[in-house]
Amino acid sequence: MNAQLATDAATMSPLALFLQADIVVKIVMVGLLAASVWTWAIILGHGGKLKSIARRSAKFEKDFWAAEDIDNYYTANRNSDLPAAKVLGAGVTEWRRSTAGKKIDREGTRERLTTMMAATIAAEIDRLSDRLNILATIGSVGPFVGLFGTVWGIMRSFTSIAAQQNTSLGVVAPGIAEALFATALGLFAAIPAVIAYNRLSHGINTLEARLHRFADGFHATLSRELETE
């Protein structure tokens, strides 16, 4: 009796369910496992990257507002890969171009500063959001892919019933078990993807708002400087 239970447990293990599954269900399972690995790679890589950027950005902005000379601060940080540094660079570059001539168009300079810094913010946010669409796709498609494997496995169980003219649990259990396992894998891939998508989107939105505040503050500083030109 105990030996029989041990054999049944081994037959219903995840590895056994995969090995005894139909080729179509196997493809579904492998695809969902690959999607899950891809999801966690994005979560760990992108999540750590966003936390690092947020921490470094806070220090960058604090040092910027404490700096006595904007040109010197920009020169010292012009090679930084931080989004805030890119926004600063766009503002300083446009400022230098717009104030290089003898006659300065104050309103035109303000508009160009706003446009250039806003465009830089949009480009940086697009760059940071590059892989979020993958999480959204896995989160929305994963359960349906798993459901497809479930339906296929149940169809296989009914085929076994028809072929053997036997409705015993031993006949239908393997197909139903592999079908439910495909559903579980679909949820296993989709749930972390949806949660990560929401959390990373929130982090990127927070960073975007912070960049806009920084750009507005820098724009106000340059606007005041225009009044003395």
Side-chain angles (χ1 to χ4, degrees), residues 2-23:
N2 292 335
Q4 181 64 37
L5 289 175
T7 302
D8 291 342
T11 304
M12 293 301 173
S13 68
L15 179 58
L17 290 175
F18 173 77
L19 293 176
Q20 70 190 13
D22 182 77
I23 183 62

Side-chain angles (χ1 to χ4, degrees), residues 3-62:
Q4 181 64 37
L5 289 175
T7 302
D8 291 342
T11 304
M12 293 301 173
S13 68
L15 179 58
L17 290 175
F18 173 77
L19 293 176
Q20 70 190 13
D22 182 77
I23 183 62
V24 174
V25 181
K26 282 182 179 179
I27 293 174
V28 169
M29 290 179 179
V30 170
L32 291 173
L33 285 173
S36 181
V37 172
W38 198 1
T39 294
W40 282 104
I42 294 174
I43 291 173
L44 297 176
H46 228 56
K49 182 179 180 181
L50 280 179
K51 287 182 180 179
S52 175
I53 289 176
R55 183 178 65 254
R56 292 164 57 205
S57 293
K59 183 178 185 305
F60 179 90
E61 293 177 24
K62 181 180 178 181

Side-chain angles (χ1 to χ4, degrees), residues 17-18 20-22 25 29 149-150 152-153 156 173-183:
L17 290 175
F18 173 77
Q20 70 190 13
D22 182 77
V25 181
M29 290 179 179
T150 300
W152 191 273
R156 187 172 174 236
I176 294 176
E178 71 187 44
L180 295 177
F181 187 48
T183 301

Side-chain angles (χ1 to χ4, degrees), residues 28-137:
V28 169
M29 290 179 179
V30 170
L32 291 173
L33 285 173
S36 181
V37 172
W38 198 1
T39 294
W40 282 104
I42 294 174
I43 291 173
L44 297 176
H46 228 56
K49 182 179 180 181
L50 280 179
K51 287 182 180 179
S52 175
I53 289 176
R55 183 178 65 254
R56 292 164 57 205
S57 293
K59 183 178 185 305
F60 179 90
E61 293 177 24
K62 181 180 178 181
D63 293 342
F64 171 78
W65 295 119
E68 297 181 356
D69 191 307
I70 293 178
D71 284 330
N72 289 339
Y73 187 83
Y74 167 68
T75 301
N77 295 275
R78 64 189 307 167
N79 294 324
S80 174
D81 61 346
L82 285 175
K86 302 289 183 63
V87 174
L88 174 62
V92 170
T93 300
E94 184 55 42
W95 168 265
R96 290 175 177 175
R97 289 174 179 172
S98 297
T99 59
K102 294 182 179 180
K103 186 177 180 180
I104 299 175
D105 180 4
R106 289 182 173 84
E107 290 305 315
T109 298
R110 291 189 178 96
E111 291 179 4
R112 287 190 293 273
L113 285 169
T114 299
T115 300
M116 292 303 297
M117 287 192 288
T120 302
I121 291 173
E124 289 300 303
I125 294 301
D126 287 344
R127 181 176 63 84
L128 292 174
S129 304
D130 182 46
R131 295 191 177 184
L132 291 189
N133 62 325
I134 298 174
L135 294 179
T137 301

